[in-house]
Amino acid sequence: MSVDFEVQRRRIVESLVHMGYLKNPRVIKALLTVPREYFVPAHLREYAYVDSPLPIGHGQTISAIHMVAIMTDELEPEPGDKVLEVGTGSGYQAAVLAEMVAKQDPSRRGHVYTIERIPGLVEFARRNLEVAGYSEYVTVIEGDGTLGYPKQAPYDRIIVTAAAPEVPKPLLDQLRDGGRLVIPVGDLYIQRLLIIDKVDGKVKTRYGIECVFVPLIGEYGWKIKY
Ligand code: SAM
């Protein structure tokens, strides 16, 4: 049976709008545009638009669509922004961000830097981004994202898509004044989304929804084997 991914994509986005998860028209446009089916393993492609996390190998997951929608909505990326993502996974969230900061308004071309600690997923994400047509807008870096990526700092927006025990200090240091950081913080079982704004050098934190992510492992994250 052939699957019409475009129809499925439209249906899930409409239902997320209906449920109130998606409000920002530019996030809606990005989710309607990025082909999620290119970011899941081939044998799971027919489930690409099921709204749940899916395994991508190495014990990791591509986040559920509603989670990508909520986090991107909270992040409010603007055309022209320089964005850092920690936890590349499949590359899907990075492509959604690239769509918003670099493709929606070609006169303001931003860039997405995304860090992944597992080499096999770095390769997986690079391939997916290439096939989906986003590789010129996204740089995938292999390493410990809890240290940030000082080479390109400061960032307008930083998003962490793995569960942190606390906010890694290097990420706060690498956030531009006026910038925003979105990160799930909690224990290994449940976290809360923190939305952190840096205003005049001071940090203001708002608390978002509860969520469940795989652990952020690294120097300023969890020190466990996973
Ligand atoms: N954003 C991803 C996507 O769109 O597919 C999903 C991310 S997945 C839920 C979390 C990812 O964070 C995993 O691929 C994991 O290997 C990665 N990760 C965990 N700790 C990390 C660290 N310190 N630096 C970079 N990546 C890390």
Side-chain angles (χ1 to χ4, degrees), residues 60-61 85 87-88 90 93 115-118 144-145 161 215 217:
Q60 306 300 323
T61 54
E85 182 197 21
T88 315
S90 67
Q93 172 76 72
I115 311 184
E116 172 57 56
R117 61 181 280 273
I118 299 175
D144 175 4
T161 59
I217 297 171

Side-chain angles (χ1 to χ4, degrees), residues 8-205:
Q8 292 192 2
R9 197 180 311 133
R10 206 173 51 242
R11 279 198 194 130
I12 182 70
V13 171
E14 279 167 7
S15 97
L16 291 175
V17 171
H18 184 72
M19 289 188 286
Y21 284 135
L22 264 173
K23 299 179 195 84
N24 181 332
R26 292 197 308 100
V27 182
I28 294 171
K29 195 170 168 209
L31 290 184
L32 282 172
T33 308
V34 179
R36 185 172 162 96
E37 64 273 19
Y38 290 165
F39 294 89
V40 300
H43 68 284
L44 295 175
R45 202 146 283 164
E46 63 184 296
Y47 305 109
Y49 292 96
V50 174
D51 189 15
S52 79
L54 291 174
I56 54 173
H58 308 271
Q60 306 300 323
T61 54
I62 174 173
S63 304
I65 307 174
H66 74 272
M67 206 58 231
V68 175
I70 290 168
M71 289 185 86
T72 313
D73 226 53
E74 294 285 17
L75 193 68
E76 290 184 5
E78 297 287 337
D81 277 354
K82 194 199 284 184
V83 181
L84 177 68
E85 182 197 21
V86 177
T88 315
S90 67
Y92 175 68
Q93 172 76 72
V96 169
L97 295 168
E99 188 60 40
M100 294 182 70
V101 304
K103 279 191 102 176
Q104 282 180 355
D105 178 353
S107 69
R108 289 148 79 203
R109 194 166 148 171
H111 197 83
V112 179
Y113 296 88
T114 180
I115 311 184
E116 172 57 56
R117 61 181 280 273
I118 299 175
L121 289 178
V122 171
E123 285 314 307
F124 180 61
R126 282 194 184 133
R127 216 175 323 118
N128 298 341
L129 288 159
E130 173 83 47
V131 173
Y134 289 93
S135 44
E136 64 179 293
Y137 311 106
V138 180
T139 304
V140 184
I141 301 130
E142 184 183 322
D144 175 4
T146 69
L147 303 171
Y149 188 55
K151 207 168 146 189
Q152 291 292 338
Y155 299 95
D156 301 295
R157 299 286 185 268
I158 300 179
I159 180 171
V160 180
T161 59
E166 59 191 18
V167 182
K169 185 175 179 303
L171 299 185
L172 282 176
D173 293 343
Q174 290 170 37
L175 185 65
R176 171 178 75 73
D177 202 44
R180 176 171 287 184
L181 162 65
V182 174
I183 178 170
V185 175
D187 59 29
L188 288 170
Y189 307 101
I190 191 151
Q191 306 89 39
R192 188 168 283 282
L193 217 54
L194 304 192
I195 299 103
I196 300 170
D197 289 309
K198 200 190 247 189
V199 184
D200 297 330
K202 292 200 186 78
V203 155
K204 288 198 337 200
T205 303

